[in-house]
């Protein structure tokens, strides 16, 4: 998801550094011009379950796809270690192909997986648009789909169905944590003027909807002074930055992600934007590639979080995950790696509980309420899948940028953590009901009252 020029195949293991918007640096992996299908795990004739995953391997989102593949390899290795220790672990075969961030192509790959590879579980996807299309294949064919990266809460709230599950924080979880951070910040500095800027497609619009609902549920009083919708991969944010400065918000929340977020920050930093405005990105802003891009002199006032952090929680499980990824790849992971890792573990545990992968209904029952102890879980908590929404329930930490050179080439990480309990971040039954009812009559009726 960087804004670099077309990538090429690299023989080295060190991360490439791409020049962003002329000056800002972003960490990215050198990507192949064309990505071949990848096959991992057991041979087809020996596998207890065959999983078909869709991840981008080229283009702006290619780094996340490659990190997902590494996460899958790590999960398969952990499962193999358990099997070697005598535990009853199913044998997984994982086939991976690149949907090129196109919904129609993703549907074709998913259908090919089912027809030609006889997969029993679908997984993956970075793009919410691709995930929505493939989710309909899952619904139609009654085959399990494990979402590991895409984040639109619409997939579990409005469009959720029996066979779709997601195992990473979605936009609701991130915005619910963000709303709590903003509530607490308002108690300290009294801010009242809020603006939102997000990409003009489902993920951006749903993120804003989620934030409004979460703030309304907390009783936070504020004035919305601007809503802006640049296109995805917008190269020039100057008009939007000027409009935000003219609106005079105290807080700007953004759902711009990846290379777009990095470009926005760089362009805003060339103005007086950060002299009067705090910028918050609660879902993707603390991803490792974005932190590398901030260099050692980040703009002041950034409020960030992400779906996994290399430096939080400082538990043995998370430290082992990050260290193992680095040992395998010569670089530190983006949050996509842990999402894919989780997806494979979820499949293995569900197959083990269900006694096999032939019966999708038994797999559904095994996944509903499934508990998984994950690298991102703080001490004393294990992530679990909510039975109603099929969304994983996880804690979140939000913070500000601090100097930290433990994860080079990054010079900063997020610190000054505010940690929010997983149970507090679930959408309430009332929000779920209103959102699902409103889906029948349009998005506007789902919005909280002004």
């Amino acid at each position: 998801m960087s804004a670099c020029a077309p990538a090429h195949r690299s023989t080295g293991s060190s991360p490439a550094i791409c020049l962003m918007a002329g000056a800002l640096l972003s960490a990215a992996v050198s990507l192949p011009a064309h990505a071949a299908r990848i096959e991992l795990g057991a041979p087809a004739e020996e596998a207890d379950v065959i999983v078909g995953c869709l991840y981008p391997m080229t283009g702006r989102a290619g780094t996340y796809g490659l990190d997902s593949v590494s996460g899958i390899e790590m999960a398969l290795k952990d499962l193999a270690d358990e099997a070697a220790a005598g535990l009853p672990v199913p044998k997984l075969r994982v086939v991976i192909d690149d949907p090129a961030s196109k919904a129609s192509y993703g549907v074709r790959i998913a259908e090919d997986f089912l027809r030609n590879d006889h997969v029993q579980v679908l997984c993956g996807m970075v793009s919410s648009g691709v995930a929505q299309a493939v989710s309909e294949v899952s619904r139609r064919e009654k085959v399990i789909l494990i979402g590991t990266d895409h984040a639109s809460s619409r997939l579990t709230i409005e469009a959720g169905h029996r066979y779709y599950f997601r195992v990473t924080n979605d936009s609701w979880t991130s915005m619910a944590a963000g709303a709590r951070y903003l509530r607490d910040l308002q108690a300290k500095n009294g801010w009242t003027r809020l603006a939102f800027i997000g990409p003009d497609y489902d993920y951006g619009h749903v993120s804003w909807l989620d934030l409004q609902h979460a703030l309304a549920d907390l009783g936070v009083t504020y004035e919305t002074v601007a809503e802006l919708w640049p296109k995805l991969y917008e190269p020039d944010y100057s008009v939007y930055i000027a409009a935000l400065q003219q609106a005079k918000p105290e807080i700007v929340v953004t759902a711009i992600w990846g290379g777009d977020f990095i470009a926005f920050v760089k362009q805003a930093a060339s103005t007086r934007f950060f002299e009067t405005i705090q910028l918050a990105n609660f879902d993707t802003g603390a991803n490792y590639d974005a932190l590398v891009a901030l260099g050692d002199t980040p703009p002041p006032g950034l409020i960030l979080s992400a779906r996994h952090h290399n430096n939080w929680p400082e538990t043995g499980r998370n430290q082992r995950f990050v260290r193992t990824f680095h040992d395998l790849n010569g670089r530190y992971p983006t949050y996509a790696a842990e999402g894919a890792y989780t997806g494979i573990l979820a499949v293995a545990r569900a197959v083990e509980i269900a006694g096999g992968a032939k019966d999708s209904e038994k797999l559904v029952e095994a996944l509903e309420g499934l508990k998984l102890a994950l690298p991102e879980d703080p001490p004393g908590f294990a992530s679990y899948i909510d039975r109603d929404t099929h969304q994983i329930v996880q804690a979140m930490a939000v913070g500000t940028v601090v100097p930290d050179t433990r994860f080079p080439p990054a010079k900063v990480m997020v610190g000054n953590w505010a940690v929010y309990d997983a149970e507090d971040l679930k959408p309430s039954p009332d929000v779920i009901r209103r959102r699902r009812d409103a889906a029948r009559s349009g998005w506007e009726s789902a919005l909280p009252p002004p």
Side-chain angles (χ1 to χ4, degrees):
M1 287 187 287
S2 69
C4 303
H8 59 279
R9 186 177 297 276
S10 172
T11 58
S13 61
S14 298
I17 304 299
C18 301
L19 192 62
M20 295 295 305
L24 196 61
L25 293 178
S26 172
V29 179
S30 294
L31 303 175
H34 174 75
R37 166 182 161 118
I38 298 170
E39 300 180 3
L40 302 172
E45 62 274 13
E46 297 180 11
D48 297 309
V49 56
I50 302 175
V51 185
C53 296
L54 294 84
Y55 288 111
M57 298 295 158
T58 57
R60 291 185 174 186
T63 298
Y64 291 2
L66 294 184
D67 279 14
S68 296
V69 172
S70 291
I72 291 171
E73 291 174 327
M74 290 169 61
L76 292 174
K77 175 62 166 59
D78 284 354
L79 292 170
D81 289 345
E82 291 181 12
L87 297 176
V89 178
K91 295 179 181 179
L92 272 67
R93 172 176 172 79
V94 183
V95 292
I96 305 166
D97 211 338
D98 182 354
S101 299
K102 298 183 184 299
S104 59
Y105 195 36
V107 167
R108 185 179 124 192
I109 291 174
E111 291 175 342
D112 285 347
F113 279 159
L114 296 173
R115 180 173 57 251
N116 300 328
D117 295 287
H118 309 293
V119 307
Q120 294 119 323
V121 178
L122 296 167
C123 87
M125 289 159 288
V126 169
S127 163
S128 292
V130 174
Q132 288 167 343
V134 175
S135 177
E136 289 307 308
V137 176
S138 162
R139 186 203 300 264
R140 182 183 72 232
E141 301 297 332
K142 297 183 178 180
V143 62
I144 301 297
L145 170 57
I146 306 290
T148 70
D149 196 330
H150 52 274
S152 170
S153 65
R154 185 176 182 178
L155 276 152
T156 51
I157 297 180
E158 286 88 354
H161 59 82
R162 179 167 175 78
Y163 304 98
Y164 175 81
F165 295 82
R166 179 165 42 214
V167 294
T168 54
N169 295 332
D170 67 346
S171 56
W172 172 271
T173 305
S174 297
M175 292 303 170
R180 283 158 175 76
Y181 192 96
L182 293 177
R183 174 199 60 190
D184 298 342
L185 183 63
Q186 189 178 71
K188 295 177 181 178
N189 67 15
W191 72 266
T192 58
R193 296 173 64 83
L194 178 69
F196 184 89
I197 180 169
D200 192 14
Y201 74 110
D202 185 69
Y203 167 70
H205 289 276
V206 173
S207 295
W208 178 220
L209 178 69
D210 289 335
L211 181 63
Q212 291 176 90
H213 274 301
L215 288 169
D217 283 353
L218 295 173
V220 178
T221 301
Y222 62 96
E223 177 187 2
T224 301
V225 298
E227 300 176 30
L228 300 176
W229 304 104
K231 65 182 179 181
L232 188 63
Y233 307 142
E234 170 64 54
D236 183 1
Y237 291 97
S238 58
V239 172
Y240 301 97
I241 292 166
L244 288 170
Q245 289 177 296
Q246 185 174 8
K248 293 182 171 57
E250 294 152 288
I251 306 289
V252 172
V253 177
T254 183
I256 299 172
W257 54 270
D260 288 8
F261 175 64
I262 294 167
F264 178 87
V265 171
K266 194 276 172 182
Q267 292 172 31
S270 69
T271 72
R272 304 181 70 177
F273 181 94
F274 290 103
E275 292 182 9
T276 58
I277 298 171
Q278 280 193 274
L279 179 67
N281 185 323
F282 298 117
D283 191 46
T284 65
N287 205 8
Y288 180 71
D289 55 350
L291 295 173
V292 171
L294 291 176
D296 57 5
T297 55
L302 290 173
I303 304 167
L304 305 176
S305 189
R307 300 168 208 162
H308 172 254
H309 302 278
N310 291 331
N311 65 326
W312 184 91
E314 292 191 11
T315 60
R317 181 180 286 113
N318 194 39
Q319 290 169 345
R320 173 182 173 273
F321 178 85
V322 173
R323 182 175 62 252
T324 301
F325 185 97
H326 188 272
D327 289 345
L328 290 172
N329 298 283
R331 54 188 170 83
Y332 290 100
T334 62
Y335 58 62
E338 199 227 13
Y341 175 88
T342 302
I344 295 304
L345 290 186
V347 172
R349 302 304 183 221
V351 170
E352 182 180 343
I353 294 169
K358 293 183 179 180
D359 190 333
S360 289
E361 304 306 321
K362 288 184 178 179
L363 287 177
V364 169
E365 294 171 4
L367 285 163
E368 289 182 336
L370 180 69
K371 289 186 177 181
L372 295 166
L374 299 174
E376 70 177 273
D377 290 336
F381 177 80
S383 298
Y384 69 91
I385 297 176
D386 180 72
R387 293 182 181 275
D388 180 20
T389 62
H390 290 185
Q391 167 65 42
I392 202 164
V393 179
Q394 297 178 314
M396 276 201 69
V398 182
T400 57
V401 177
V402 298
D404 190 334
T405 58
R406 291 176 296 166
F407 306 91
K411 301 293 181 61
V412 298
M413 299 296 285
V414 176
N416 301 319
W417 298 106
V419 179
Y420 299 102
D421 185 79
E423 295 299 322
D424 292 338
L425 303 182
K426 295 169 61 176
S428 68
D430 181 60
V431 164
I432 294 171
R433 178 189 57 77
R434 283 189 285 135
R435 289 270 295 267
R436 289 176 174 173
D437 289 347
R440 301 184 182 92
S441 56
W443 285 96
E444 292 302 317
S445 61
L447 295 175

